[in-house]
């Protein structure tokens, strides 16, 4: 089941290692980078980079308890909201492009009338 979840997250655009880290965080609730490294069999720096990426995107939080840094996952709904935001952004870009399309077609038609000489 874990491999299937990782594959699905990769399909959503997550790097494989980041997907593994996020799923491990979901599974354990909270963990330090060294602990995640041991659980996943990945280099500590790789895990650290992945959790930092998760924190930067709002998919995990960072807390310090007795000098140890722990990472916790945010709700999976945070990822859904992020995907919805990206969808809205893409739709907005499509609308902007559609507004440009008549001008681009007109330019294309004009350029089609001009046939460059072939030597």
């Amino acid at each position: 089941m874990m491999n299937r979840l990782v594959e699905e997250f990769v399909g959503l655009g997550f790097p494989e290692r980041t997907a593994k880290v996020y799923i491990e965080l979901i599974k354990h609730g909270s963990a330090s980078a060294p602990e995640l490294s041991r659980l996943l069999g990945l280099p500590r720096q790789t895990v650290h980079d992945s959790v930092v990426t998760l924190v930067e995107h709002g998919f995990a939080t960072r807390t310090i308890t007795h000098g140890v840094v722990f990472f916790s996952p945010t709700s999976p709904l945070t990822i859904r909201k992020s995907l919805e935001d990206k969808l809205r952004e893409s739709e907005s870009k499509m609308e902007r492009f559609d507004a440009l399309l008549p001008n681009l077609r007109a330019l294309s038609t004009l350029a089609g009338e001009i046939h460059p000489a072939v030597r």
Side-chain angles (χ1 to χ4, degrees):
M1 180 171 117
M2 298 303 286
N3 289 337
R4 178 76 178 142
L5 283 171
V6 170
E7 288 173 14
E8 290 296 329
F9 269 79
V10 169
L12 292 171
F14 279 71
E16 183 178 354
R17 291 175 176 167
T18 303
K20 287 180 178 180
V21 169
Y22 180 75
I23 291 166
E24 201 66 32
L25 282 174
I26 291 284
K27 196 165 115 181
H28 290 280
S30 180
S32 65
E35 189 177 2
L36 289 166
S37 175
R38 183 181 49 76
L39 290 167
L40 293 167
L42 294 172
R44 185 176 173 186
Q45 187 61 47
T46 298
V47 169
H48 185 267
D49 292 346
S50 293
V51 289
V52 166
T53 297
L54 289 169
V55 169
E56 288 173 351
H57 286 90
F59 304 148
T61 59
R62 178 181 179 257
T63 57
I64 301 172
T65 305
H66 303 296
V68 179
V69 179
F70 287 94
F71 298 93
S72 302
T74 58
S75 168
L77 293 177
T78 306
I79 295 171
R80 179 170 174 75
K81 183 183 177 322
S82 174
L83 292 170
E84 289 170 348
D85 292 346
K86 288 180 182 179
L87 177 61
R88 276 192 294 280
E89 183 181 331
S90 291
E91 288 171 345
S92 173
K93 287 179 181 179
M94 288 296 292
E95 288 172 7
R96 288 173 57 195
F97 179 78
D98 286 346
L100 293 174
L101 199 52
N103 292 334
L104 294 172
R105 283 188 177 143
L107 286 173
S108 175
T109 302
L110 289 175
E113 295 173 4
I114 302 169
H115 301 286
V118 178
R119 294 181 189 206

